[in-house]
Amino acid sequence: MTNKIIRHVLAEFPYQTPRIERGYANQTLYVNVGTGEIKAKPVSDEMKLKFTGGKGFDLWLLWHAVHDDTKWDSPENEIVISTGPCGGITQYPGSGKSLVTTVSPTTEIITDSNAGGHFGPLLKFSGWDAIEVQGIAEKDVMVIVDAIEGKVTIEEMPDAPNDTHLLGRWLYDVLAEKPQEKYYIAMVSAGTGAEHSLLGCLNFSLYDRKRQDVRYKQAARGGPGTVLRQKHIKALVVRAQPFKGDANHPADMERIARVGADIQREIATWDSVQNRMRNRGTSYLVEIMSDYDLLPVNNFKFGSHPQARDINGAYWETRVTQGLPDGCWYGCTVACAHAVDGFELQTGPYKGHKVIVDGPEYETIGAIGSTCGIFDPDAILELNFYCDTYGIDTISYGNTISFLMECYEVGILDQEKTGGLELTFGNAAASLEILHQLARGEGLGKIAALGVRKAKTYVIEHYGADPQFVQDIGMENKGMEYSMYMGKESLAQQGGYALTNKGPQHDEAWLIFMDQVNNQIPTFEDKAEALHYFPMWRTWFGLCGFCKLPWNDVVDPKNSKSAEPAKIPHHVQNYVDIFSAVTGREVDINEIIAMSERVYNFQRVFNIRLGKGLREHDYPPYRGVGPVTEEEYESRRERYDQQLREWLGLDPDAMTLQEKMAAHRHYRTERYERLMDAVYERRGWTRNGVPTVEKLKALGIDFPEVLAVVEKKLRAED
Amino acid sequence: MKVLAYDAQKCTGARECEVTCAQTWFKVQDVAKSSIRISVKDDGFAAQFCIQCGKCIEVCPTEALYYNKQGIVLLKKDLCVGCMSCVGFCPYGVMYFAPEEALAFKCVACGQCVKACPQEALKIVELDEASTDVWNLRF
Ligand code: SF4
Ligand code: SF4
């Protein structure tokens, strides 16, 4: 097949794959699709020590690539992808993640997003700790890292389809000379939706040997797929050599094997009686969240719905194919990467096709499902599939649609403005229609394509919407749409969402249960400590190539007797062992936290450099804090009234609804300010959220260009 | 299927089987490399080894494990990526891992231990389906 396909090579860079030593290839790959320049960059010991890998490497490379005024569509913006030193380990579940960073089209600061799939590990095994792609190509190109041929190329392949599910099959057929070679191919792609939207996600492929087909996991947050397509890149591809379980050449394989055997047995013993991730993936969360009033419904107005049972974990267990080793990288027996096979599409350009739907995961079910008032599983699958193949982030898309649905219900939008669509909560057909419009760059799809923040501006400017109301209900912070947990009754989670670097994605902190359900962090100081420890701990996964789920989604019940169950100390020790055994760098939990603090603070400074990253950018919309509308208040009146009595010593019976809502708003808003103060102090930042010079020095990231950014800001504060 | 079987009544704990297995497959005397393990019980000895149930085949993501025509679960070394899924999910804890090769290994009923056992406590037997009975069969 290879001969018949047009492959117009624009640039070629020969190389030899170095031996991977202790988790590092010790070089990164630079590709400029605009100029055709391709080169290797060495990885220094300091880079490993201070930035570890993964997101740390991404940020370090990106920092040197961009300017203070770089925008997402500037040619110098890059997509940087790296796994990390433990990425590609097969003996510990969840060790194949890739981290992507870029300047985001929606937040206009740094976004980072992680995905499973095989790209990161295979890229490293092919000799590269990271790939940074800069420039804008004239026509659509592929970047192909071919370790078998020993070269990196930029190529035009004019016959390549655009949407991911077609592109993947096509490309694997083109590149694999023998069927087994497909096992060692991985690609990163977006789709037609990403061309017409700021919400573009990246699909990271893997070859599923059992299904004999290509599967995808998404790095979706912050629009990296939009950047890929704006650069006119159809796919980044790696064609690797077959590899063995010691491809990372770790320092101490025996230690890895010991820990690996322990965790595999723990999963084998407990998953089936706990979350059943192996059977239903993260969808198990739907029911729990709805039970605790934490499942976003109708644009986060409410936290539960009777119909949530139609889309809960027990249902999905009957729907996703059972009994397959659905890990997103080898050795992950948590295996949450399930799929619905043979799903027949009912709408859109692929109507009638039978496809594999990767997922649905909890966040997707919440975003395109419950928060849009949609509880029809088939509609969720159809939306999930099209979002993926079009290269659209399900979380951002769902939030944007639910925002528009609320705008419709309150009269900001009407049928004239929606092109005849009755955009009420629950209208799945309308959501699907808008998604297809978005992929074509038409109609209401053009507004949905903007994401919540820019859609807010649009309805204010074009339809005269009340700015305060729109600001209150649009579920975004920093320009990123919220992931799927209702934070109204958890102050710590409000901070966990908005006191973040990239925006409200729970990968930094998920504190709802600790805070709201178990009341383990009652004071501001407790919450601030949790908002220090957990974001740092969680950041570390993305420096190394780890997935967080095997840390806390399957746990031997003996953990409840440990000193700090929320941290899961015996799993923390596993990670200490694995990292030390891979890299030969003996660490403990304090050093782990320090590794993350370096990268975390560096990212904060990076955002400041790009003109944001300050206190003013860390405020949540009020919908994420308390009841915006009378309807919301009335739906949970008992709770809110009781809070007025307990928290404020007020008598709700003597107050009007408006007075009660105002009292809540005042109290909750002020409480959030105090949380900010406590968290900034704990993190070593000023009241404006700027890392202090002392902090940067203590962390060893006091590079002159970093200090310069901070000092300028601190002078302005004085 | 032709599988290994063990008669506890005959075993005197000489452990020749362990050494022979390690020697046969890994060219070492270290019994950590043996696919059969003898343990001491209050009333004598017991043996652990693969019964060829095939549960590991389901969890292997690389299709490295398969049944041969004789009903024995074999490993294709070139496909195994050493992920230890089979090790953790073997219901009987008799799938092992060799760190220096990063490969899984298991009993393939090759019969070398049968020849080595001075007490004739091991035997290759013909069964219709996999059963833990082989860990204590009278013969
Ligand atoms: S838990 Fe799920 S997402 Fe994490 S590594 Fe395993 S399969 Fe991938
Ligand atoms: S260790 Fe090898 S044989 Fe066992 S599950 Fe993993 S790839 Fe398959």
Side-chain angles (χ1 to χ4, degrees):
Chain A
M1 180 157 188
T2 323
N3 299 335
K4 294 181 214 137
I5 299 292
I6 302 164
R7 294 179 67 168
H8 183 43
V9 177
L10 303 178
E12 181 169 327
F13 173 78
Y15 80 99
Q16 271 188 334
T17 307
R19 186 182 148 95
I20 314 303
E21 288 291 355
R22 300 185 169 197
Y24 291 101
N26 292 307
Q27 60 176 5
T28 64
L29 177 62
Y30 171 86
V31 179
N32 191 314
V33 293
T35 64
E37 188 186 4
I38 307 174
K39 65 184 176 190
K41 290 184 181 177
V43 169
S44 68
D45 286 343
E46 186 182 33
M47 190 168 156
K48 290 195 267 187
L49 198 65
K50 299 213 164 138
F51 293 95
T52 308
K55 182 165 88 170
F57 279 14
D58 287 352
L59 290 173
W60 182 242
L61 294 168
L62 191 57
W63 174 278
H64 295 289
V66 302
H67 314 138
D68 297 357
D69 60 355
T70 295
K71 301 281 178 279
W72 71 273
D73 54 357
S74 307
E76 71 272 15
N77 188 23
E78 290 186 334
I79 289 177
V80 199
I81 303 173
S82 171
T83 175
C86 302
I89 289 296
T90 57
Q91 293 78 26
Y92 200 86
S95 305
K97 290 276 182 168
S98 302
L99 257 289
V100 187
T101 63
T102 188
V103 176
S104 159
T106 50
T107 68
E108 295 162 356
I109 51 172
I110 301 301
T111 188
D112 60 85
S113 198
N114 79 74
H118 294 180
F119 186 83
L122 293 187
L123 179 74
K124 181 165 60 169
F125 298 162
S126 299
W128 308 103
D129 286 321
I131 182 171
E132 52 178 321
V133 192
Q134 199 175 39
I136 299 171
E138 246 170 64
K139 291 191 196 151
D140 279 347
V141 294
M142 310 275 184
V143 174
I144 302 178
V145 179
D146 190 333
I148 297 175
E149 303 271 333
K151 63 184 184 189
V152 180
T153 52
I154 303 171
E155 304 184 25
E156 283 174 14
M157 298 170 92
D159 305 327
N162 211 347
D163 288 334
T164 281
H165 78 293
L166 298 178
L167 175 62
R169 280 192 182 163
W170 185 87
L171 206 51
Y172 274 68
D173 280 340
V174 168
L175 294 179
E177 283 165 16
K178 297 185 227 86
Q180 279 209 359
E181 283 184 17
K182 291 186 179 177
Y183 299 174
Y184 309 106
I185 291 173
M187 69 166 205
V188 177
S189 62
T192 45
E195 287 165 22
H196 296 115
S197 160
L198 302 180
L199 310 180
C201 78
L202 294 177
N203 290 295
F204 279 62
S205 76
L206 60 102
Y207 191 76
D208 184 328
R209 300 188 194 193
K210 301 265 180 186
R211 290 181 172 88
Q212 297 191 10
D213 212 331
V214 190
R215 307 268 318 276
Y216 305 95
K217 303 300 295 174
Q218 289 73 32
R221 304 312 327 266
T226 303
V227 180
L228 189 86
R229 293 305 291 130
Q230 195 266 342
K231 291 186 174 305
H232 295 145
I233 300 171
K234 268 203 177 156
L236 309 172
V237 191
V238 56
R239 182 167 173 247
Q241 299 273 8
F243 66 93
K244 285 254 158 291
D246 57 358
N248 269 304
H249 297 114
D252 186 349
M253 191 65 183
E254 232 175 280
R255 188 170 172 191
I256 295 172
R258 202 169 355 102
V259 183
D262 282 353
I263 189 80
Q264 290 292 7
R265 293 209 180 95
E266 193 171 338
I267 294 166
T269 309
W270 296 109
D271 178 66
S272 60
V273 291
Q274 293 178 352
N275 297 330
R276 298 181 66 77
M277 297 278 281
R278 290 173 52 72
N279 302 82
R280 52 179 79 170
T282 53
S283 71
Y284 79 88
L285 284 161
V286 172
E287 188 168 8
I288 302 175
M289 292 304 132
S290 188
D291 286 352
Y292 282 96
D293 208 25
L294 296 169
L295 175 75
V297 171
N298 293 4
N299 197 29
F300 287 72
K301 279 199 255 186
F302 316 119
S304 64
H305 198 283
Q307 274 178 281
R309 87 173 87 79
D310 298 347
I311 53 168
N312 70 10
Y315 171 76
W316 291 112
E317 193 166 330
T318 67
R319 200 72 199 268
V320 301
T321 307
Q322 298 290 301
L324 293 176
D326 281 333
C328 70
W329 172 246
Y330 301 108
C332 189
T333 50
V334 175
C336 78
H338 295 297
V340 173
D341 291 283
F343 180 75
E344 189 172 335
L345 296 165
Q346 303 298 319
T347 68
Y350 308 115
K351 182 175 176 181
H353 292 208
K354 287 204 170 140
V355 295
I356 301 175
V357 187
D358 294 285
E361 298 179 28
Y362 168 74
E363 303 295 334
T364 292
I365 299 168
I368 55 182
S370 66
T371 202
C372 294
I374 293 171
F375 298 92
D376 168 4
D378 285 295
I380 289 172
L381 287 171
E382 182 113 358
L383 285 159
N384 188 0
F385 174 82
Y386 272 114
C387 277
D388 290 351
T389 200
Y390 285 155
I392 293 296
D393 175 11
T394 52
I395 300 180
S396 291
Y397 182 74
N399 268 294
T400 310
I401 292 300
S402 66
F403 168 74
L404 295 175
M405 284 173 162
E406 189 163 352
C407 286
Y408 185 89
E409 294 213 339
V410 300
I412 295 170
L413 295 176
D414 54 32
Q415 289 208 12
E416 199 185 315
K417 300 186 178 90
T418 63
L421 290 173
E422 201 195 341
L423 198 54
T424 48
F425 285 115
N427 190 342
S431 178
L432 274 161
E433 175 54 30
I434 295 169
L435 183 56
H436 298 311
Q437 289 177 0
L438 176 151
R440 299 192 301 265
E442 293 172 2
L444 195 57
K446 285 204 282 197
I447 301 174
L450 299 171
V452 170
R453 175 168 284 192
K454 293 184 166 77
K456 283 184 199 173
T457 309
Y458 190 93
V459 296
I460 293 166
E461 284 176 1
H462 291 81
Y463 303 140
D466 170 9
Q468 179 70 56
F469 176 73
V470 164
Q471 173 53 30
D472 282 350
I473 65 161
M475 286 303 285
E476 59 84 17
N477 159 262
K478 302 178 179 64
M480 179 176 283
E481 294 77 13
Y482 271 67
S483 75
M484 290 296 121
Y485 301 96
M486 181 75 111
K488 284 178 195 168
E489 300 312 320
S490 168
L491 176 60
Q493 188 57 35
Q494 291 163 27
Y497 268 140
L499 301 177
T500 44
N501 271 327
K502 72 165 167 284
Q505 169 73 357
H506 59 282
D507 64 344
E508 270 201 23
W510 195 87
L511 300 171
I512 294 183
F513 268 57
M514 261 185 108
D515 188 31
Q516 174 185 337
V517 179
N518 301 328
N519 198 24
Q520 288 161 324
I521 43 175
T523 67
F524 284 101
E525 286 66 36
D526 295 336
K527 292 185 209 300
E529 182 57 34
L531 284 168
H532 164 69
Y533 178 86
F534 286 102
M536 296 313 137
W537 168 244
R538 286 167 168 263
T539 291
W540 186 75
F541 288 78
L543 309 184
C544 300
F546 288 130
C547 169
K548 291 169 216 73
L549 305 191
W551 161 55
N552 70 349
D553 275 288
V554 190
V555 183
D556 185 325
K558 74 179 180 192
N559 179 58
S560 63
K561 298 198 181 64
S562 68
E564 292 180 280
K567 294 182 178 174
I568 315 176
H570 75 286
H571 284 180
V572 172
Q573 184 57 42
N574 285 353
Y575 288 103
V576 165
D577 283 327
I578 295 285
F579 184 88
S580 303
V582 171
T583 61
R585 172 178 168 191
E586 198 61 43
V587 296
D588 59 15
I589 180 63
N590 296 325
E591 177 53 20
I592 283 179
I593 298 299
M595 283 184 221
S596 292
E597 266 195 288
R598 281 179 213 119
V599 174
Y600 195 89
N601 280 273
F602 185 71
Q603 189 169 349
R604 183 80 177 181
V605 176
F606 206 157
N607 287 342
I608 296 170
R609 180 184 169 202
L610 296 177
K612 296 188 178 174
L614 303 172
R615 188 180 184 106
E616 63 182 288
H617 305 108
D618 285 349
Y619 288 95
Y622 188 62
R623 177 60 58 77
V625 174
V628 173
T629 60
E630 296 180 357
E631 179 195 20
E632 275 165 275
Y633 193 103
E634 290 293 358
S635 76
R636 269 83 181 145
R637 176 153 47 114
E638 224 171 281
R639 175 197 299 161
Y640 292 135
D641 280 358
Q642 194 184 338
Q643 288 169 344
L644 289 175
R645 285 187 203 97
E646 284 178 8
W647 295 349
L648 297 172
L650 296 174
D651 175 11
D653 299 332
M655 299 166 79
T656 65
L657 180 54
Q658 287 72 21
E659 286 168 344
K660 293 195 289 187
M661 289 174 65
H664 263 282
R665 185 158 188 150
H666 183 264
Y667 175 77
R668 287 169 181 256
T669 309
E670 189 266 344
R671 191 173 67 161
Y672 185 80
E673 295 280 355
R674 288 180 62 193
L675 179 76
M676 290 174 107
D677 290 341
V679 171
Y680 288 170
E681 194 180 331
R682 177 61 188 90
R683 290 183 181 172
W685 298 353
T686 67
R687 278 201 78 236
N688 195 23
V690 180
T692 60
V693 171
E694 301 76 58
K695 183 77 195 174
L696 299 175
K697 282 191 173 149
L699 293 171
I701 52 166
D702 50 335
F703 307 103
E705 66 270 35
V706 172
L707 287 183
V709 170
V710 165
E711 278 164 350
K712 193 165 131 206
K713 199 49 76 181
L714 292 174
R715 271 199 303 276
E717 276 180 35
D718 284 344
Chain B
M1 59 200 331
K2 278 197 160 88
V3 304
L4 185 65
Y6 169 79
D7 184 344
Q9 308 270 330
K10 290 184 176 161
C11 179
T12 57
R15 295 173 182 268
E16 288 293 331
C17 55
E18 291 181 341
V19 177
T20 304
C21 182
Q23 187 64 43
T24 303
W25 292 95
F26 288 90
K27 309 279 176 269
V28 295
Q29 302 277 311
D30 178 6
V31 298
K33 292 286 156 24
S34 172
S35 298
I36 176 167
R37 308 275 167 103
I38 304 296
S39 55
V40 184
K41 291 267 158 351
D42 290 346
D43 55 348
F45 297 93
Q48 293 85 41
F49 51 85
C50 173
I51 66 166
Q52 318 298 340
C53 74
K55 289 275 190 296
C56 55
I57 297 174
E58 288 166 29
V59 297
C60 175
T62 65
E63 311 223 285
L65 293 164
Y66 67 102
Y67 270 123
N68 73 359
K69 288 203 187 71
Q70 286 73 43
I72 302 298
V73 178
L74 296 181
L75 174 86
K76 287 184 191 153
K77 283 191 180 181
D78 59 331
L79 289 184
C80 173
V81 296
C83 75
M84 302 187 81
S85 302
C86 54
V87 176
F89 278 77
C90 169
Y92 312 111
V94 292
M95 179 67 89
Y96 301 103
F97 187 73
E100 45 298 297
E101 299 185 324
L103 290 174
F105 68 93
K106 64 182 292 296
C107 170
V108 295
C110 73
Q112 291 302 314
C113 56
V114 174
K115 290 186 211 155
C117 176
Q119 302 298 326
E120 298 187 346
L122 291 162
K123 193 177 172 182
I124 299 292
V125 298
E126 178 83 41
L127 289 184
D128 288 339
E129 59 183 44
S131 160
T132 55
D133 291 349
V134 293
W135 292 335
N136 197 0
L137 217 62
R138 300 300 305 274
F139 46 78

